[in-house]
Amino acid sequence: MSTIYDKYEIVMGLETHVRVKSNTKMFCSCANALELASEPNQNVCPICMGFPWMLPVLSEWVVDLAVRASNALRSEVQEKSIFDRKSYFYPDLPMGYQVTQMYHPITIGGEVRTLIHGEEKKFRIHHMHIENDAGKLIHVSGKTLCDYNRAGSPLMEIVTEPDFRSKEDVIGYLEELQKLMRWCGASDADMEKWQLRCDVNISVRLKWETNFRTRVELKNINSFSSIGRAIDNEFERQIELYEAGQAPDQETRWWNDEKGYSTPLRSKEDAMDYRYFPEPDLPPVIISKAYIEERAIKELPIDRRSKYINTYNLWADDARILSSDRVISDFYEKLVERTNDPKKSCSYITTILFSIFEASPEPMGIADCKADAGEFAKVIQMVNNDELSSTNSKIVIEKLVFEWGDANSLVDTLGLRQKNDTEALQKIVEKVIAENPNQVNEYKSGKVNLFGFFVWQCMKASNGQGNPKIFTELIKNIIG
Ligand SMILES: [Zn+2]
């Protein structure tokens, strides 16, 4: 059944603020409290409080991480970028202006590629600039309290082209952006901790139209789960206006996720004049080509994900898991490099290692493993060379997780090296067959399921060290 909504399409562009994971604030040495500080106004100083005569100094850490982020976005870092003052009065802004980059941002262009329903999609980046954050206002019983712990914290604002046509596009982009920021170390980009905030510019048009119609900016979208609701609501609101012979105003609206609707915040007419002008207290930021290249990122998570699916033939889900986190992905790359066995390396991580981590009382991951990737790779190689059974390999893996060790000597110390000596194994098989005449008769009269019983008895008799493949052959030779 078609509805009035079907003939329209949605067009969106995003402005995303990502908090830079530097130890200090942008222009002073106050702690950049990534987590909320225990007390309000703990991390403040005369610089971030905007006292007279105080001079800001740009943190190199912020530049470093912004360049890494830019490389992850495949964006072009500018040799010269310039700070501007954006003046406005608001109690959360002690300096009376925000330091941002209005005309000469640190980086221009770029893209984020991601898989949406198994297909690669590309969203273009217009530019990214760096700026400082404002403080936080807390409203209690008719009064307003100011907390400036966040004031002066570094932010990257990433502005896209209007390339989004569905909420799946937006969510896919944001998830990939989050991955990229973590991958390059620029930010943890956790939406719940306000390290990633997103404003969506939304317009609608008839599906065959090529021009853009009036756009509305939607603010206060604070979680992945609220994005879809906010977009659906605005899409329907604008269509209903057009269908009623009206048009949406160009305005900024505030999304109220609890109530499920947005309210106007300010219209184009009351847009503020921010009196932008070059920041006189800060020199231009000059970045050399060498500095950018030192922070280059060769393979992005999406490249690895595609490689895992197309070259290594992994399941899409495994490829997603192994490429979502850099520590896991680098570990996997090392295993494959040494074992040349992408599938088994994958299953040793996703089944054996992950279940060890899950069973641990303390939260843990690859980074907490005592032995390095090379030792884990040796275990996989021993299994592939029939020197270690896959059952026993789990024991060795567990040891390598919790105790430092050399895989080879561990296998010997634990007496787990698999015996491939056919003569010795033949004796075990003969003994097992001789000791179980009833089972042999039952097997011969058609109870073929009993074959596993003999293999298991032989494994037991060899203390788990006999090679089950050889046992299988030998048993077949005797009882058929
Ligand atoms: Zn400060």
Side-chain angles (χ1 to χ4, degrees), residues 164-190:
F164 302 84
R165 296 292 177 272
S166 68
K167 57 187 175 188
E168 287 79 14
D169 282 359
V170 174
I171 292 168
Y173 164 85
L174 287 174
E175 284 175 347
E176 197 68 33
L177 182 68
Q178 185 178 57
K179 234 182 260 180
L180 288 171
M181 292 301 116
R182 291 175 180 175
W183 193 271
C184 70
S187 177
D188 289 334
D190 192 332

Side-chain angles (χ1 to χ4, degrees), residues 25 27-30 43-49 151:
K25 290 186 182 179
F27 301 117
C28 60
S29 52
C30 288
N43 305 318
V44 292
C45 74
I47 295 174
C48 56
M49 291 302 290

Side-chain angles (χ1 to χ4, degrees), residues 42 122 129 146 195 215 274 386:
Q42 258 187 337
K122 190 196 288 186
H129 60 261
C146 305
Q195 295 158 351
R215 67 164 199 247
Y274 292 116
D386 278 339

Side-chain angles (χ1 to χ4, degrees), residues 22 39 48 75 219 224 283 309 327 397:
S22 57
E39 295 271 331
C48 56
S75 185
K219 280 187 179 295
F224 276 106
I309 295 173
V327 177
I397 294 282

Side-chain angles (χ1 to χ4, degrees), residues 115 304-316 319:
L115 288 184
R304 291 210 174 154
R305 191 169 165 183
S306 305
K307 178 174 76 181
Y308 298 165
I309 295 173
N310 301 322
T311 313
Y312 293 173
N313 293 316
L314 301 188
W315 294 108

